[in-house]
Amino acid sequence: MACAGETGGDEELSETAQAVSIQNGAVVSAVESSTNPLGGFPIIGIEPVTLTVFDLDVVAQAKWTAAFTTNLSWDGDKVRQGQTLDVQRSGSSIGVLKVLWTITGQLRPLGLFEINLPPIPLDVDLAGCAPPLDGSAFSCSADSPHLTLFDGLLPTTPFVRIAIGVEVTGEGAAAQTTRTLFFGDEQGPQGELEVTPETLGDANPMPCSKPVGTTVDYALDPFSYTPVNVTARQQPKFIIGFHDPFFSIPITLFEAPFGPVIETTPDFTLEGAGNTVALGELLANNVLPTIAPLGPFSGQEGAPVTFSQSTTSACPVTSFVWQFSDGTTSFGPHPQRSFGDDAVFNGQLTVTDSTSLSATGSFEVTITNRPPVANAGPNTSGAWGTQIALNGQAVDPGSDDQATLSYEWDFGDGTPGAGSAATSHAYTAPGDYVATLTVCDDHVCDTDTTAVHVRRRTVAVAYTGSNVGTFSAPATLMGSIVDELGQPVVGGTLEFSLAGAGAGSAQTNAGGNAARTVDVGIAAGAYAVGVSYGGSGLYEGGNTGEVFNVAHMASALQYTGALSGGSNKTVSLSAKLVDGLNRPLAGKTIVFNLGAQTTAAQTAANGIASVALKLNQKGGTYPLTAAWDPAGGEAALWTGSSASATFTLGGNGGK
């Protein structure tokens, strides 16, 4: 086997010799499994010669150690910029499966006394247990060293020994490894590969971006191997014999297994590091680019002509230079360019790859005449009554005709315009119009249209009325409408709302203002006041809102009843309740307190509450109060009020 970097016996060829330079190398990987338990089992019985009773416990474990050799071969001439290098590989293996038993327990010779055995290790190497890489079945077996239960040692005396047989079977698998290419100190592509006895290929492109002389290394690392359907079978056996009468040499008379077969399924996964093979130094690209026949190309003046090419190259083409007979140059694999006049042009394409190898090709381009092209510009929009820009333009492919172009507009509303491609026009009413631009040179005309959307004017709606009010009192709501040009909108209907409910409407005057007076019928608090305009044929709608604060309506209470009376006599207590606008409040409960006596009455439609009270206190003067304290929902509408007076109470029978 040749080492990495050797030629494998072939004569070394020069780069230009177009012959195959085969090189060889090998990767050796030492792999091993972890220590796997094979299970434990007892050995219990009576040795038949000396009648020794034995009660033993056995624990077994195993470890598989192997070495994989991966043979590599490749064409050294393909270690070259832009070439595809196919590295061929095949594998083989050797291995040893080591089994270790540990035996503990007791012996009782003739059943008379007990001997405790210290842990006794027995190990065996299943030599030649190579992991098969082709998926075939394998079987490795051996017997442990003998453990002596009894041995007379003297001539004619017997001996009794036990051993443990083991067999490991399963099915092999391909070894798994990671392939990594290295270019100098830089890591290249990686891939997961299998290694089997069969020759397999691994094609890898050689980079054009690395300089000539860069070392190329091929690493297979790490390796792993996992056989399947692995089974370990163990069974003890007796070995019985005697020592010959002359030399005391042990002679086996009987050897046979006993007890059940102990079967386990260990998981042997072998893992280990691999190695790296030097493939050589990167050779220079020696394949020139080739260009397929170009064109013919054709087009019209002023219209882009797309140039295309089909190039074959070992390394990427990094430069495309197109040179034309009019003195211009374009770049790139598929350039587009326009010509200013009709003619037949010729040119040359030069391509250069990343390793500076070049090729050239010639071509012709036929360009025909073309009329001017009118472009009415993008669709546009604006408000009626404002100047709306129309951004038309025109191009004549013939540069001599460009200065002679004439322009004429039809704005779509019955009015014409002329003079330039870019202009503006004010429309008198909203709507959708089609504006047409006609462009003529000395020979022919072209037209184009654009859509003009004339929209309604936007408006700003403002609330200008009061922001405060009082429950059940009138308030003035006001608003205004101004369009986007700052002009008032006259005769527009403004809809007012208060606390989410409609509050009527009003028409705007010449200044764009409108007002409406409403009675505030909501409880004290902060509410939204709003004004909206629904729009018209000329104007968009709009709305706005602010905060409207509602205050409690004040109340006033006046005592109007008797101010004196006699003990045990009945008097009339009365009071009148009005709101802050002096309107009587009906149905309100007035509480009267005269000294220690209390009574109440409700106000009538005139706001007066009256009640008769029989006086039951001693003569004297007493404070008299009348009070209204709104409760429930009324507390959010009115403020409470009270009135005070002094009541004179005469003696018995007094008035």
Side-chain angles (χ1 to χ4, degrees):
M1 179 185 301
C3 297
E6 296 178 349
T7 63
D10 288 340
E11 229 178 281
E12 187 172 348
L13 302 176
S14 68
E15 284 186 33
T16 59
Q18 302 302 315
V20 176
S21 171
I22 300 299
Q23 299 189 7
N24 298 287
V27 172
V28 178
S29 175
V31 296
E32 64 179 14
S33 73
S34 59
T35 299
N36 282 270
L38 299 185
F41 54 91
I43 302 177
I44 302 173
I46 300 176
E47 181 271 303
V49 178
T50 63
L51 300 179
T52 297
V53 178
F54 52 89
D55 184 357
L56 306 177
D57 288 311
V58 180
V59 176
Q61 54 187 5
K63 183 175 184 178
W64 202 349
T65 302
F68 297 147
T69 299
T70 305
N71 296 306
L72 306 175
S73 62
W74 65 95
D75 181 356
D77 190 59
K78 296 296 185 182
V79 186
R80 182 183 299 277
Q81 293 172 326
Q83 297 295 312
T84 297
L85 175 65
D86 188 12
V87 180
Q88 302 285 314
R89 69 186 184 281
S90 63
S92 60
S93 65
I94 58 174
V96 174
L97 184 64
K98 183 180 184 66
V99 182
L100 171 66
W101 294 271
T102 302
I103 301 176
T104 58
Q106 297 86 31
L107 298 177
R108 291 192 299 276
L110 299 175
L112 298 179
F113 56 92
E114 188 173 276
I115 300 174
N116 290 318
L117 298 178
I120 301 174
L122 301 177
D123 63 77
V124 66
D125 290 337
L126 280 64
C129 192
L133 301 178
D134 58 359
S136 61
F138 65 87
S139 176
C140 306
S141 61
D143 288 343
S144 73
H146 295 177
L147 173 64
T148 300
L149 298 179
F150 175 80
D151 194 337
L153 299 178
L154 299 176
T156 71
T157 60
F159 64 84
V160 179
R161 300 168 184 163
I162 62 171
I164 302 171
V166 63
E167 179 186 24
V168 179
T169 62
E171 298 172 12
Q176 306 293 322
T177 186
T178 299
R179 182 262 297 127
T180 305
L181 281 173
F182 289 91
F183 301 99
D185 294 332
E186 182 177 337
Q187 178 179 311
Q190 286 188 317
E192 302 301 317
L193 303 180
E194 289 187 344
V195 177
T196 70
E198 179 186 0
T199 298
L200 302 174
D202 180 25
N204 293 276
M206 293 293 99
C208 297
S209 58
K210 302 300 179 183
V212 174
T214 300
T215 58
V216 182
D217 295 319
Y218 189 87
L220 296 180
D221 179 47
F223 275 80
S224 67
Y225 176 84
T226 304
V228 297
N229 300 324
V230 178
T231 302
R233 299 175 181 87
Q234 304 175 78
Q235 189 175 28
K237 61 174 64 177
F238 267 124
I239 302 95
I240 301 174
F242 71 97
H243 294 273
D244 77 89
F246 302 104
F247 303 103
S248 194
I249 297 173
I251 299 174
T252 299
L253 298 177
F254 173 81
E255 181 174 340
F258 72 96
V261 175
I262 309 304
E263 187 172 294
T264 56
T265 57
D267 176 19
F268 287 112
T269 297
L270 287 71
E271 296 178 325
N275 211 332
T276 299
V277 170
L279 301 181
E281 292 185 351
L282 193 64
L283 302 176
N285 176 26
N286 60 358
V287 179
L288 292 173
T290 59
I291 304 174
L294 297 167
F297 303 107
S298 63
Q300 295 178 318
E301 61 180 2
V305 178
T306 299
F307 294 87
S308 61
Q309 49 73 39
S310 177
T311 302
T312 303
S313 179
C315 288
V317 173
T318 56
S319 173
F320 299 83
V321 180
W322 304 75
Q323 294 177 311
F324 300 92
S325 58
D326 63 355
T328 60
T329 303
S330 295
F331 303 91
H334 305 288
Q336 283 189 334
R337 58 153 301 172
S338 300
F339 294 84
D341 200 1
D342 58 301
V344 176
F345 301 89
N346 54 51
Q348 186 178 72
L349 168 65
T350 301
V351 299
T352 305
D353 70 14
S354 60
T355 63
S356 300
L357 298 183
S358 298
T360 60
S362 299
F363 59 90
E364 283 190 351
V365 190
T366 301
I367 303 300
T368 59
N369 191 38
R370 190 181 180 196
V373 178
N375 183 350
N379 296 342
T380 186
S381 64
W384 64 271
T386 64
Q387 291 293 326
I388 299 176
L390 297 167
N391 295 312
Q393 58 182 341
V395 175
D396 193 297
S399 58
D400 293 341
D401 290 337
Q402 187 69 40
T404 66
L405 296 180
S406 62
Y407 308 91
E408 183 176 347
W409 281 97
D410 179 353
F411 297 114
D413 62 350
T415 58
S420 63
T423 186
S424 63
H425 181 66
Y427 292 83
T428 59
D432 290 306
Y433 302 87
V434 176
T436 303
L437 172 64
T438 300
V439 180
C440 300
D441 64 10
D442 294 341
H443 311 291
V444 67
C445 297
D446 188 37
T447 63
D448 190 36
T449 61
T450 185
V452 182
H453 174 68
V454 181
R455 59 175 176 80
R456 298 182 294 174
R457 293 182 187 176
T458 60
V459 299
V461 178
Y463 177 76
T464 59
S466 176
N467 291 90
V468 295
T470 303
F471 168 69
S472 75
T476 300
L477 308 181
M478 300 176 63
S480 66
I481 314 173
V482 178
D483 70 13
E484 62 186 85
L485 303 182
Q487 300 174 356
V489 176
V490 180
T493 300
L494 284 177
E495 298 285 346
F496 295 96
S497 64
L498 182 60
S505 62
Q507 299 291 318
T508 56
N509 57 21
N513 300 307
R516 179 173 178 78
T517 300
V518 298
D519 288 330
V520 179
I522 51 180
Y527 300 91
V529 61
V531 59
S532 64
Y533 171 56
S536 68
L538 296 177
Y539 299 99
E540 300 284 352
N543 61 80
T544 188
E546 295 186 6
V547 176
F548 190 90
N549 294 295
V550 178
H552 293 79
M553 172 60 76
S555 67
L557 187 64
Q558 179 184 8
Y559 180 73
T560 59
L563 293 175
S564 64
S567 180
N568 296 318
K569 296 297 182 177
T570 298
V571 295
S572 177
L573 305 180
S574 66
K576 183 176 182 179
L577 180 65
V578 296
D579 66 9
L581 300 179
N582 204 31
R583 297 174 296 189
L585 296 177
K588 312 305 178 187
T589 300
I590 308 300
V591 178
F592 297 91
N593 289 292
L594 196 165
Q597 291 183 267
T598 300
T599 187
Q602 280 197 334
T603 59
N606 59 2
I608 296 175
S610 298
V611 64
L613 177 67
K614 184 177 182 178
L615 303 173
N616 60 10
Q617 301 177 83
K618 296 178 180 181
T621 59
Y622 293 91
L624 171 63
T625 62
W628 175 52
D629 186 12
E634 293 182 340
L637 305 178
W638 293 279
T639 60
S641 58
S642 63
S644 301
T646 300
F647 191 91
T648 303
L649 180 60
N652 291 337
K655 294 185 180 179

